[in-house]
Amino acid sequence: MPTSEYQGSSVPLSFLGRSILSFRRNQIISMEGTQEQELEELELFQKHVADRFTGLLSSRPSSDGIDNILSIAWLRKLLDTFLCCEAEFKAVLIHGHNPQIAKPPLNRLISEFLDRDVKALDICNAISNGVESIRQWQKSAEIAIFALGQKPLGEGQVRRAKKALNSLVASITSEDKESNGNTSTERAWSFGRRSGALIKERSSGHLRSLSPSVSRNWSASKQIQAMSGNLVAPRGGGESSGLASPVYVMSNVLVFVLWALVAAIPCQERGSLATHLPVPRQLAWAGPVIGLQERIAEEWKKKEKKGSAGLLEEIQRLERCGQSLIELADSFQFPPEAKWVAEMEVQVAELSENCRKIEEGLVPLQRQVREVFHRITKSRTEVLDILDQAGKPSTPVL
């Protein structure tokens, strides 16, 4: 090639060669540094998950039930834990609009994860319905408390209280029977069916707002089963490293949190809810999660009938106090004896304290469920945006 072709350049070829080699060396160093940073972020994420669930596991039974596992206060801590894990997971997954999530084998794992998100939205709807049921039970209890607090106490007040308490207990029992009823195996989405693959749904912001109702064919236990059915730990090769690991961890966190909520809050058809979820014991974060599963399973087995209307501590107290006060009301004679009045006041005080805890905790709990719903929806939309961008042909650089 004639040397005259290079006369337009004042930079020697040897210098250009050294510059290219230097650039490539710096690029490799930069890539190695980025990879190390990503590995550190992945390790930190799993450590933080383990630490947060260890804190939940450390909650021990107390005399007033404030920190008892499956109390309203404990469930609020559980949802806080989920929201913290979800925020950190999203930062790891889509940091810098990560294009890896659109490439195999990660794209398949992402597809399954987004499908779990859709199922999770249904469970949030069901939990919201269950919270409304608890609110109605609280109102029945408060009617009885008001009636039994009248002075002087007469037969009319006792009859009114007994009627409210019978309504309370019957409603909880009815919820129990409906929970154990047979349902269709057909999957029903609470926010309506979609044509085509759900993973490719698009929307402007949210899939749907939190719905006040779910289909009659819907089953909470089957929904949890569907979410955990294909939950398999990453194998060797490309799946054992990189982003596959945090996707698997967050999938387990999502399934466990919703499983615990379904166990605690009245939900449609939850009698066949499994007492254990498939979590490999060898993973560092799995220890506290398995420990929590075992404690919840123990609470489940303690009940005389599986599929009771929620294992929530406050629900169990509502039913227990209601039954006890009904029995006490049956023995009422006018004028009441001092011993009867003293016993009634003790039981009413316990019921009143339980209603106070429900009143203080139920609204924040429902707000957190709503936040989980919208957080899942928003994150899902962001991941779909990245998948869309990765699927578009890139513009050639001139």
Side-chain angles (χ1 to χ4, degrees):
M1 185 178 294
T3 56
S4 59
E5 293 184 15
Y6 296 99
Q7 291 177 358
S9 173
S10 60
V11 182
L13 288 176
S14 59
F15 179 80
L16 286 173
R18 288 195 301 271
S19 299
I20 293 173
L21 290 175
S22 176
F23 171 76
R24 288 180 177 174
R25 184 161 49 250
N26 292 336
Q27 189 179 38
I28 292 172
I29 294 174
S30 177
M31 290 175 62
E32 291 176 349
T34 302
Q35 290 175 351
E36 290 179 1
Q37 182 180 358
E38 289 179 353
L39 289 175
E40 289 178 1
E41 290 177 351
L42 298 179
E43 291 177 0
L44 278 176
F45 171 66
Q46 297 191 58
K47 181 181 183 301
H48 292 162
V49 170
D51 291 344
R52 290 176 182 125
F53 278 93
T54 299
L56 289 171
L57 183 61
S58 64
S59 298
R60 296 298 175 186
S62 57
S63 58
D64 58 5
I66 291 179
D67 290 325
N68 285 4
I69 189 169
L70 297 179
S71 65
I72 292 177
W74 187 86
L75 288 182
R76 290 183 59 193
K77 292 180 181 179
L78 177 68
L79 292 180
D80 278 339
T81 295
F82 171 81
L83 291 171
C84 290
C85 291
E86 196 276 340
E88 188 171 357
F89 167 72
K90 189 171 71 172
V92 171
L93 182 68
I94 62 178
H95 177 67
H97 305 289
N98 203 318
Q100 296 180 39
I101 64 176
K103 300 177 181 179
L106 192 60
N107 59 343
R108 176 181 58 81
L109 301 178
I110 293 296
S111 175
E112 295 172 353
F113 181 79
L114 295 180
D115 186 59
R116 290 189 195 98
D117 279 349
V118 174
K119 295 179 174 68
L121 300 181
D122 275 326
I123 295 179
C124 287
N125 284 335
I127 294 299
S128 182
N129 289 344
V131 170
E132 289 301 324
S133 296
I134 299 173
R135 196 185 305 278
Q136 295 302 317
W137 299 340
Q138 175 197 350
K139 291 179 180 178
S140 295
E142 289 174 343
I143 291 173
I145 292 169
F146 177 80
L148 293 175
Q150 301 301 304
K151 296 183 183 302
L153 185 64
E155 293 183 5
Q157 288 84 7
V158 174
R159 281 198 302 269
R160 185 185 180 193
K162 187 177 177 181
K163 181 179 179 181
L165 292 169
N166 279 323
S167 175
L168 166 65
V169 175
S171 181
I172 293 177
T173 305
S174 174
E175 188 78 31
D176 186 11
K177 291 179 180 178
E178 291 176 3
S179 174
N180 285 305
N182 293 326
T183 61
S184 168
T185 56
E186 180 185 5
R187 182 182 302 167
W189 304 106
S190 63
F191 43 79
R193 290 183 178 275
R194 298 286 192 273
S195 59
L198 285 170
I199 187 174
K200 294 183 178 179
E201 288 180 11
R202 302 298 306 166
S203 64
S204 57
H206 302 296
L207 290 173
R208 284 292 177 93
S209 298
L210 205 60
S211 170
S213 62
V214 294
S215 167
R216 288 182 177 274
N217 295 331
W218 190 83
S219 166
S221 59
K222 286 185 174 63
Q223 197 81 327
I224 293 292
Q225 184 179 1
M227 292 179 68
S228 60
N230 61 348
L231 195 54
V232 181
R235 298 182 293 274
E239 290 191 5
S240 62
S241 61
L243 294 176
S245 179
V247 170
Y248 175 71
V249 174
M250 194 61 208
S251 294
N252 276 277
V253 170
L254 176 67
V255 173
F256 171 77
V257 169
L258 296 179
W259 174 81
L261 285 173
V262 170
I265 305 293
C267 279
Q268 187 171 309
E269 207 293 292
R270 49 186 292 284
S272 57
L273 186 68
T275 54
H276 286 88
L277 298 170
V279 179
R281 291 182 175 272
Q282 69 272 18
L283 301 177
W285 53 268
V289 173
I290 293 174
L292 287 169
Q293 284 188 41
E294 292 174 348
R295 287 185 61 184
I296 294 174
E298 288 175 5
E299 293 297 320
W300 186 278
K301 293 176 182 178
K302 283 179 184 178
K303 309 307 173 187
E304 294 180 358
K305 47 186 178 179
K306 291 186 178 181
S308 62
L311 300 181
L312 189 71
E313 173 75 19
E314 288 77 5
I315 294 177
Q316 302 303 317
R317 290 194 178 192
L318 275 179
E319 186 176 11
R320 184 170 61 249
C321 291
Q323 290 280 15
S324 182
L325 278 170
I326 289 173
E327 295 173 3
L328 190 62
D330 288 338
S331 64
F332 174 79
Q333 292 181 350
F334 187 83
E337 297 180 356
K339 183 179 180 181
W340 187 94
V341 172
E343 177 64 20
M344 183 271 297
E345 289 177 347
V346 170
Q347 293 189 28
V348 168
E350 182 181 355
L351 182 60
S352 179
E353 175 63 16
N354 193 50
C355 286
R356 183 189 64 80
K357 292 178 183 177
I358 293 175
E359 179 69 27
E360 292 179 354
L362 215 54
V363 172
L365 178 65
Q366 195 167 28
R367 191 181 301 120
Q368 284 176 298
V369 173
R370 193 176 302 275
E371 172 64 20
V372 168
F373 181 96
H374 291 300
R375 183 78 70 83
I376 290 174
T377 305
K378 182 179 179 181
S379 297
R380 187 173 183 275
T381 302
E382 291 176 0
V383 173
L384 286 172
D385 286 338
I386 296 177
L387 292 176
D388 279 354
Q389 292 297 325
K392 294 178 180 179
S394 57
T395 304
V397 180
L398 300 178

